[in-house]
Amino acid sequence: RKLPWWAQLSLQLNVLDKIDSTSDQDSSTDLRPWLDSLPRKFGTPLHWSTSAMADLQYEHLDQAVANQKILWKQTYDTIMSSAGSTASPLRSKVSYDDFVWGCECARSRAFSGAYSGAAFNPLPYALTLFLVAAYIAAGLGSLEQAANGAGLVLCGSILNDFVLPKLLKSNKYIICPYIDMANHNSKSPNADVAFEYFADAYSLAISNNKSIPKDSQLFISYGPRSNDQLLQYYGFVEPNNPNDIYVMPPIREWNIEAIEKACGTTFSGGRLAKLDKAGLLGQQQQTISSDGNNDLEPANVAGGVVITKSDGIDPAVLQALRALVSTDEEWEAAGEAIGNFAAVVSPQNERRAKLAAKTAMELELASKPTSLEEDTALLKTMDTKLGSGLGGEEEKVALLFRIEKKKLLQAAITNIG
């Protein structure tokens, strides 16, 4: 249970697939037909070549996939070292490739929620009703006292099943056969997945106010996933994804000299040291998290600068830049405290801070081997190349991915003014 959720599900899938395919909830249910329907190969970047990864033109995902490989191998080695003798079914039947297959199934097909209780069970309530009747019949107390006791049982059940999991932010990860086949659409999903408390089952239902033509596909939302995660764990790119992000290198890796030239000033070494101490320049050493519970994004272990499609550059970065470009007078007026740059200091300071951010984003965009215009033109010929056997599916996915990233970066440059 100390393993990351995706590793636990991988082991469960491999046990079902290679040892015993009957359900642990119902021995009469054979899951083999569903197991046989699962993909056996994935086209995620985990399996891409070095040249294919380079086609992404995006260092953040390249590093995220490298960290993923290390973490998954470390997790597998830990499992095997704890599995007992070489004759154990786990060690003899589950190879590293099998474990990776299970992890990819888990990452691409599981869904989660805060509810971690059980289905509706009428027995406790029937017992409570019986005890209330016996309590009153035996003359042990009044009806009001019995009702208070029954109310406590009801409130305790609600707290345990619905309230506490939300307060504790605990998630339960589920792979539900056949519902796991539903595809993703973040902009206009037409169906919802839910746990039916009284039916003790999961459901896939058409969303309210949705009219779906016959033989049309049902789409659900996998949550606010960026294209970084959709490609890394699902193997596809969503055009015009409203949840997309761009992760630039951390400020410590920016071309400070070029930004100083654009701003017409030299930044104080003391400011940079203050920002470094506050952790706003990013990390010098990258460390890999082993808990595996970051479900929304590939880990930003280097402290890169995050740009979102909805809001642009991270407000914390803009705060750091206000401090970095501040004049001596502005710095002293702020008490030499970075926290005092959370809001606009002056129109001149704000202009310099945004110019610094804009210059950094322009340099990032200019560093790409190809331009957005070149990529867009190449995309128009890609289907012809694929049909002629001159290109691979990975090449097209990488092209779609970097087009979306460059569009996001270009929009952020335009919007920052």
Side-chain angles (χ1 to χ4, degrees):
R1 293 186 178 274
K2 293 182 180 179
L3 290 172
W5 64 267
W6 40 265
Q8 293 184 45
L9 284 176
S10 175
L11 293 181
Q12 288 179 318
L13 284 169
N14 273 288
V15 168
L16 288 168
D17 187 53
K18 299 178 174 60
I19 300 174
D20 183 1
S21 61
T22 57
S23 169
D24 58 357
Q25 302 293 326
D26 181 3
S27 59
S28 65
T29 301
D30 189 352
L31 295 175
R32 176 51 56 191
W34 170 69
L35 290 166
D36 290 341
S37 75
L38 295 175
R40 293 293 155 170
K41 291 185 178 180
F42 290 83
T44 57
L46 186 73
H47 308 284
W48 288 13
S49 65
T50 301
S51 61
M53 290 299 298
D55 285 342
L56 293 171
Q57 300 180 11
Y58 188 55
E59 182 182 350
H60 173 66
L61 189 56
D62 195 12
Q63 186 60 56
V65 172
N67 288 344
Q68 177 190 1
K69 291 179 179 178
I70 295 171
L71 178 58
W72 285 17
K73 185 61 168 66
Q74 288 177 345
T75 304
Y76 175 76
D77 290 342
T78 299
I79 293 169
M80 290 300 108
S81 65
S82 306
S85 68
T86 55
S88 69
L90 195 61
R91 296 194 66 169
S92 62
K93 294 188 177 183
V94 180
S95 67
Y96 177 63
D97 287 341
D98 294 329
F99 175 72
V100 168
W101 167 78
C103 289
E104 295 212 273
C105 284
R107 271 294 192 176
S108 63
R109 310 181 85 82
F111 56 91
S112 66
Y115 177 72
S116 60
F120 175 73
N121 184 355
L123 292 179
Y125 301 98
L127 178 60
T128 300
L129 184 61
F130 171 77
L131 291 175
V132 166
Y135 182 83
I136 296 173
L140 299 175
S142 65
L143 177 61
E144 290 77 10
Q145 289 173 325
N148 288 338
L152 287 174
V153 173
L154 177 62
C155 290
S157 177
I158 294 174
L159 284 171
N160 181 65
D161 286 348
F162 298 101
V163 179
L164 288 179
K166 289 183 179 294
L167 292 177
L168 298 176
K169 297 182 179 180
S170 60
N171 277 345
K172 187 174 184 178
Y173 292 85
I174 297 292
I175 298 180
C176 188
Y178 302 111
I179 289 180
D180 67 314
M181 296 179 180
N183 285 326
H184 167 76
N185 187 319
S186 66
K187 298 184 288 293
S188 54
N190 54 22
D192 299 298
V193 176
F195 176 66
E196 304 292 344
Y197 180 68
F198 292 102
D200 190 17
Y202 287 89
S203 66
L204 175 64
I206 296 174
S207 303
N208 292 333
N209 304 318
K210 295 287 185 179
S211 177
I212 303 175
K214 183 180 178 181
D215 297 327
S216 296
Q217 184 175 173
L218 291 180
F219 289 96
I220 62 174
S221 172
Y222 294 171
R225 266 92 166 131
S226 72
N227 279 330
D228 294 49
Q229 195 192 31
L230 289 177
L231 180 55
Q232 182 175 0
Y233 295 120
Y234 300 83
F236 68 90
V237 176
E238 184 177 26
N240 301 313
N241 182 353
N243 304 302
D244 207 5
I245 64 169
Y246 190 105
V247 182
M248 287 178 53
I251 295 176
R252 69 168 63 255
E253 297 179 19
W254 287 9
N255 188 337
I256 297 297
E257 184 177 344
I259 296 174
E260 287 177 331
K261 184 177 179 180
C263 293
T265 187
T266 301
F267 304 146
S268 167
R271 305 290 158 73
L272 287 167
K274 279 265 190 179
L275 290 171
D276 193 15
K277 187 176 181 180
L280 293 173
L281 296 186
Q283 304 296 322
Q284 288 181 317
Q285 300 293 330
Q286 294 193 11
T287 57
I288 302 173
S289 170
S290 61
D291 62 12
N293 288 321
N294 186 358
D295 189 43
L296 293 182
E297 296 302 336
N300 184 11
V301 294
V305 172
V306 178
I307 303 166
T308 65
K309 189 165 188 175
S310 56
D311 299 320
I313 199 161
D314 185 349
V317 173
L318 199 55
Q319 176 183 345
L321 293 177
R322 291 189 189 111
L324 181 61
V325 304
S326 63
T327 63
D328 291 339
E329 292 78 12
E330 291 168 339
W331 180 247
E332 291 173 4
E336 301 186 1
I338 297 169
N340 291 330
F341 288 90
V344 175
V345 174
S346 69
Q348 296 79 14
N349 175 274
E350 193 71 6
R351 184 191 68 81
R352 290 193 301 272
K354 289 186 175 181
L355 181 57
K358 183 177 181 180
T359 302
M361 290 188 289
E362 289 173 339
L363 290 170
E364 176 74 8
L365 191 58
S367 71
K368 306 299 183 184
T370 57
S371 67
L372 176 58
E373 292 72 23
E374 290 171 333
D375 288 342
T376 304
L378 179 59
L379 181 62
K380 294 178 181 179
T381 67
M382 184 57 67
D383 288 334
T384 302
K385 288 180 64 179
L386 287 172
S388 304
L390 299 177
E393 189 63 30
E394 292 174 3
E395 183 182 354
K396 181 177 181 180
V397 173
L399 178 59
L400 288 168
F401 180 85
R402 69 181 191 242
I403 284 175
E404 292 301 312
K405 292 301 172 184
K406 291 172 186 177
K407 284 166 58 179
L408 192 157
L409 202 52
Q410 185 61 65
I413 292 170
T414 302
N415 294 336
I416 203 168

